[in-house]
Amino acid sequence: MPNPKRRHSKARTRKRRAHDALRVPQTNQCPNCREPRMPHRVCPKCGHYNGREVVQVEQSRLTGKVVLDAMGSDHAPHAEIDGALAATRDFGVGVILVGQPDKVEPELRRCGWRKDGDLGIELVEAAEVIAMGDPVATSVRRKKKSSLRVGTKLVTEGRADGFVSAGNTGAAMATAKMVIGTIPGVDRPALAALIPTKSGKPVLLLDVGANSECKPHHLAQFAVMGDAYSRSVLGTDRPSVGLMSIGEEEAKGNDLTKEAFPLLRQLSNINFVGNVEGRDVFAGLVDVIVTDGFTGNVMLKLSEGLTEAMLAMLKRELMATAVTKAGAVLAKPAFRNIKKRLDYTEYGGAPLLGVRQIVVIGHGRSNARAIRNAIRSVKEFSEHRTSERIQKGIAETVAFQSLTAASGH
C-alpha cells in the first residue's frame, strides 16, 4: 500500500473529531400545546407555529371504548352494569364488560341486552375473580384468567382506551404494572385523588394508597406526574406543588420528607413551593400535594369519614325543630350543592398515574353513579392525552437529572 502524499498531524485529526461531540438541544415551550420544541421550528406535537397550524399532525386514534371490570365492587355486577349503561347513554362511549358470563349475562338481559353491541355494551369472558381478601402476589400470578388480567390485556391490545376497576386495589395496581407496564423513568405508579377545598378548586393528592413505603426519588416522580396531570386535565397553567410534612420549615419532618425536599427543589420544570401541613389540604393553597401512600390513604379515608359525619350531624340538627326544618327547606339548594362537591361518587375513582395506559381504580363500595363517572374520567384522560404528557414530563426530568449528575452539581 503506497504512503499518503501528506500526513495529517494528530492535532489536525483531533480538531476535526471535536465537532463530533454531543450537545444538548435547546428547547422552548410551545404556546399552543405547551410541549417542548426546537426554537424557530414547527411544534412536532401539534403542528403549530407563530400562532397558527401549519402542519397537520396525526395522533394515535382513540377507540372510544372503555374496559370495565364487572366483578370488582362489593355490589358487582349490578353496580357495574347500571353504571356502564348510564355512561354509554350520557357520554356516548362503548363499554367492554369483563367478567363471568353466568353472573353478568343474566343482568344484562334484564336491561334489554341481547348481543355484543346492543346498548353500547360488549361482554368478554373472564373465568376467575380476584376477591378483596385474596393475597395480591399469589392471586395476580396464579389467576391468569381473572377479570383484572383479561381487562388490562384488552387495553394493551388496543381494543379500548382505558381500564376501570372497583376491585382489589393492590391487585389492580400489580396487574396494571405487570401487563400494561410503567412509563420509562417511573419506578412505582401512584394513585391520585381530587380533594375538594374551600377555594372551590380541588387539590390533587398523591399517592393515596398504591405505595405504603416510598423512597425520596419516588416522591419526586409523584410530583412530576401530578404536575402533568394538573396541567392536562385540570387546566392549571403552572401548578404549585407541595410536600406533605408536619411543618413548613425544611428541617421538619421524617427522614423521607427531609431527603425528598432537596430533590423536589432541584426540579426546575415544576413549581415547588415547599412543605405543607395537614390543615392546608382543604384550604386550596396549592394545586398538588405529594406524600407516601400510607399517609395519603389515611388522609383520604379520614376526609371521607369526616364528610359523612358532618353531613349526618348537620342533618340531625336541621331536623331538630320546626324552625330549623323551615330553614333547611329554604337552604336545600345550597346543601345539595355542598353534598355534590363532597360526594366521592362525583369523581368516580383515582387514576393510576405512571402506567402506559389509562387505569382508574374506584372505591370497593362504588355505586352505579361512581362507575359512570369513572368511565367519564377515562374518556377525559384519553382525550387530553394525559399519559403522553406524563411520559414527556418524566423524560424531561430524567434528562435534567442526568445532566446535573454529569456536571457534578
Side-chain angles (χ1 to χ4, degrees):
M1 179 176 179
N3 294 327
K5 293 182 179 180
R6 292 189 61 183
R7 179 180 175 275
H8 293 174
S9 66
K10 293 181 180 180
R12 180 175 176 181
T13 303
R14 289 167 183 168
K15 286 180 181 179
R16 183 173 68 248
R17 291 177 179 172
H19 296 286
D20 297 335
L22 296 178
R23 292 180 175 83
V24 179
Q26 299 296 323
T27 61
N28 54 24
Q29 192 180 67
C30 174
N32 181 62
C33 67
R34 303 185 184 280
E35 295 290 339
R37 67 169 186 179
M38 298 288 291
H40 308 291
R41 301 288 194 282
V42 177
C43 178
K45 286 291 183 180
C46 65
H48 280 69
Y49 179 76
N50 198 21
R52 62 189 182 90
E53 184 179 7
V54 295
V55 176
Q56 188 173 4
V57 179
E58 291 187 4
Q59 296 182 341
S60 57
R61 295 181 179 179
L62 301 177
T63 63
K65 296 181 180 180
V66 178
V67 177
L68 174 61
D69 178 13
M71 312 303 296
S73 72
D74 298 338
H75 310 289
H78 306 285
E80 280 80 358
I81 292 175
D82 293 341
L85 291 173
T88 57
R89 181 183 63 249
D90 298 340
F91 309 127
V93 297
V95 178
I96 303 176
L97 288 172
V98 180
Q100 297 172 330
D102 58 332
K103 296 182 179 180
V104 179
E105 194 167 347
E107 294 296 325
L108 282 173
R109 294 190 179 279
R110 174 181 59 85
C111 301
W113 182 88
R114 293 295 177 266
K115 60 180 180 178
D116 286 346
D118 287 351
L119 306 176
I121 303 292
E122 298 179 35
L123 177 60
V124 175
E125 179 181 0
E128 298 174 310
V129 176
I130 298 179
M132 291 290 186
D134 291 347
V136 174
T138 57
S139 300
V140 171
R141 185 170 59 254
R142 294 178 180 177
K143 296 185 177 181
K144 297 183 179 181
K145 295 183 179 180
S146 66
S147 56
L148 291 174
R149 192 78 171 263
V150 175
T152 50
K153 190 175 181 180
L154 291 174
V155 177
T156 59
E157 293 173 352
R159 294 182 56 182
D161 300 325
F163 177 72
V164 175
S165 176
N168 190 314
T169 301
M173 190 202 72
T175 304
K177 187 175 180 181
M178 179 177 60
V179 178
I180 297 177
T182 58
I183 293 174
V186 175
D187 295 332
R188 298 182 182 180
L191 282 172
L194 291 173
I195 307 297
T197 66
K198 65 181 182 181
S199 64
K201 187 175 183 179
V203 61
L204 184 69
L205 176 66
L206 74 164
D207 179 24
V208 293
N211 309 280
S212 58
E213 296 182 0
C214 297
K215 295 181 179 180
H217 70 276
H218 294 151
L219 298 186
Q221 294 176 1
F222 296 167
V224 175
M225 293 189 293
D227 175 82
Y229 178 93
S230 184
R231 290 174 184 270
S232 60
V233 177
L234 303 181
T236 308
D237 289 335
R238 186 167 170 77
S240 55
V241 180
L243 177 64
M244 177 56 60
S245 185
I246 60 173
E248 297 181 357
E249 296 81 4
E250 180 179 354
K252 287 189 176 181
N254 55 15
D255 293 338
L256 176 63
T257 58
K258 290 179 182 178
E259 295 177 14
F261 192 99
L263 294 180
L264 293 172
R265 187 170 51 190
Q266 291 175 1
L267 298 177
S268 60
N269 54 342
I270 67 170
N271 180 23
F272 178 58
V273 297
N275 289 338
V276 294
E277 300 180 75
R279 64 185 178 187
D280 301 326
V281 175
F282 300 100
L285 301 179
V286 294
D287 300 306
V288 180
I289 297 179
V290 177
T291 185
D292 61 279
F294 183 88
T295 305
N297 190 265
V298 171
M299 294 171 58
L300 181 64
K301 298 293 178 62
L302 177 62
S303 63
E304 291 177 355
L306 180 61
T307 298
E308 294 178 357
M310 289 185 61
L311 292 176
M313 289 187 291
L314 183 61
K315 183 177 180 180
R316 184 169 60 249
E317 292 298 326
L318 290 174
M319 296 294 105
T321 63
V323 177
T324 55
K325 287 181 181 179
V329 172
L330 297 176
K332 190 174 181 179
F335 291 136
R336 187 184 297 113
N337 292 335
I338 293 176
K339 184 178 180 180
K340 184 177 181 180
R341 287 178 55 187
L342 299 177
D343 190 2
Y344 76 95
T345 62
E346 292 294 326
Y347 301 96
L352 185 63
L353 305 182
V355 292
R356 294 179 180 271
Q357 302 290 339
I358 302 170
V359 176
V360 174
I361 301 177
H363 206 293
R365 56 184 180 137
S366 295
N367 55 20
R369 185 172 183 82
I371 298 295
R372 166 189 175 273
N373 289 324
I375 297 173
R376 172 184 55 81
S377 298
V378 173
K379 179 177 180 294
E380 293 177 352
F381 298 163
S382 60
E383 291 175 348
H384 288 91
R385 308 281 176 175
T386 305
S387 297
E388 297 178 6
R389 291 177 179 268
I390 292 176
Q391 186 170 354
K392 176 65 70 175
I394 291 293
E396 291 176 358
T397 303
V398 172
F400 172 78
Q401 291 175 345
S402 300
L403 289 175
T404 303
S407 61
H409 296 293

